[in-house]
Amino acid sequence: MCGRLAGTGKIKHVAHILDGNKVRDQILEECQPRIQRILAAAGRAPGLAVVLVGADPASQVYVRNKTRTAEGLGIYGETITPDASITTEELLRLVRALNMRPEIDGILVQLPLPAHIDSRQVLNAIAPEKDVDGFHPVNVGLLSIGAPGLRPCTPSGVIEILKRHQIPIAGRNAVVVGRSNIVGKPMAMLLLEENATVTVCHSRTADLAAVCRTADILVAAIGKPAAIRAEHIRPGAVVIDVGINAVTDRAKAELLGPAKLAAFDKRGTVLVGDVHPMDMAELASAYTPVPGGVGPLTIALLMRNTIEATERRLGLC
Ligand code: GUN
């Protein structure tokens, strides 16, 4: 998008901001009638159990937001908060007990788990039909063969943002930076499912910037503040910034431009994505801001997955 720069006669590039809050609200709105239908059919609400091990403050905030959103929608939410000293065996028993409870349709174990716990064993213990994160190997496998199953929330949110802004995916070159099991790999699979030509980059990619510049759709999910710069962005590309990083050092905030610096000076901290905000705004045709882009979608998709898990368990779909 372009606009005339006031008084100069010059055309100024104005990127389209992809509003994650708006898409979240739409998705949550669509959840309402489905919850009503479940209530009418089963006489109970969908049930979501969230397991938060230990007292990591960031995880506490994420989990509170998840259960609050659930309760706001009329989903039954239960948070279980074992001490950080819990063993893998004890956590496995807890998960298996949740698997057995008929009124619990979705189980989420908040990550990261303490280092002494075998996270993969815990995630594998969640019943696949209750795995609302989509991290169980059965659901990963279903995604990879394009069969119905529970899909990971954050990458599904990215697809929703693109589709609901009428951004074409089929036939486009999509580059995903990051290969995590939570975002990068499932993101690549979902883009492939939408018929994009997909490249996955990572820490060992040779000439990352050159590969990124082939992208019509560039998805950054590396967890490094403002690491994706102008040289990575083809002018006119759609840029999806999945990163949420807190910058607590003023000198670093200063490098992010005046808006981020002003926010930092107000609160002593500022959030930035994996993409440099000024480079992204200058070069992209459309982009997700941080905060307010992909972030709000993760919880909305968790709600939708919980409803989907309930409908499947009740035979309603
Ligand atoms: N920690 C950060 N993101 C996630 C997520 O999507 N699911 C879970 N379970 N933990 C997380």
Side-chain angles (χ1 to χ4, degrees):
M1 218 192 299
C2 287
R4 208 159 282 278
L5 207 56
T8 65
K10 280 186 191 155
I11 301 293
K12 180 185 180 290
H13 167 79
V14 180
H16 183 62
I17 296 175
L18 305 171
D19 184 348
N21 288 315
K22 216 156 95 184
V23 177
R24 172 201 57 201
D25 291 346
Q26 283 173 5
I27 292 172
L28 293 181
E29 184 92 24
E30 291 160 10
C31 287
Q32 302 277 6
R34 293 172 73 179
I35 293 170
Q36 292 312 313
R37 182 161 163 261
I38 289 165
L39 273 170
R44 67 166 181 88
L48 171 66
V50 180
V51 181
L52 170 61
V53 178
D56 173 64
S59 291
Q60 282 174 331
V61 171
Y62 289 135
V63 166
R64 204 176 310 130
N65 288 338
K66 287 171 185 177
T67 46
R68 272 197 195 147
T69 306
E71 281 156 14
L73 277 176
I75 291 173
Y76 168 70
E78 189 170 306
T79 310
I80 300 145
T81 55
D83 192 82
S85 63
I86 192 170
T87 64
T88 299
E89 264 317 309
E90 288 165 333
L91 193 51
L92 288 173
R93 272 199 292 278
L94 195 158
V95 167
R96 288 180 191 131
L98 291 170
N99 286 343
M100 303 294 285
R101 283 174 56 189
E103 79 286 15
I104 295 297
D105 303 287
I107 302 169
L108 179 148
V109 177
Q110 185 66 24
L111 301 175
L113 288 167
H116 68 275
I117 290 176
D118 183 341
S119 300
R120 188 26 78 187
Q121 220 186 325
V122 173
L123 296 179
N124 291 1
I126 298 172
E129 67 275 16
K130 296 190 179 188
D131 168 38
V132 284
D133 260 329
F135 295 163
H136 189 283
V138 165
N139 286 316
V140 176
L142 290 170
L143 169 61
S144 78
I145 62 167
L150 292 162
R151 307 294 202 226
C153 301
T154 303
S156 300
V158 170
I159 298 292
E160 290 295 334
I161 288 193
L162 293 170
K163 284 188 170 175
R164 290 174 193 242
H165 286 89
Q166 284 81 45
I167 292 169
I169 306 174
R172 310 300 292 277
N173 290 333
V175 174
V176 179
V177 190
R179 55 175 158 177
S180 70
N181 290 330
I182 294 183
V183 182
K185 283 187 212 165
M187 185 75 256
M189 285 293 178
L190 286 170
L191 286 163
L192 199 56
E193 198 169 61
E194 297 296 333
N195 300 305
T197 302
V198 184
T199 306
V200 183
C201 299
H202 46 78
S203 53
R204 304 283 286 272
T205 297
D207 202 349
L208 176 67
V211 181
C212 288
R213 283 196 307 272
T214 66
D216 302 310
I217 300 169
L218 178 62
V219 182
I222 46 177
K224 285 191 188 150
I228 301 296
R229 301 295 314 252
E231 69 265 28
H232 299 86
I233 304 169
R234 186 180 62 71
V238 173
V239 180
I240 305 292
D241 191 351
V242 180
I244 303 176
N245 311 287
V247 172
T248 51
D249 176 346
R250 192 175 189 279
K252 285 188 181 145
E254 212 166 352
L255 300 174
L256 302 174
K260 290 290 182 192
L261 183 61
F264 179 92
D265 284 338
K266 238 184 197 170
R267 294 182 216 104
T269 177
V270 67
L271 289 180
V272 67
D274 292 347
V275 187
H276 193 288
M278 292 183 70
D279 292 354
M280 182 160 67
E282 197 171 309
L283 290 166
S285 58
Y287 69 93
T288 57
V290 177
V294 176
L297 267 299
T298 301
I299 294 181
L301 270 293
L302 174 65
M303 299 303 118
R304 198 169 80 180
N305 275 358
T306 303
I307 292 164
E308 209 166 299
T310 313
E311 288 171 343
R312 287 224 184 97
R313 292 185 69 239
L314 294 171
L316 292 174
C317 67

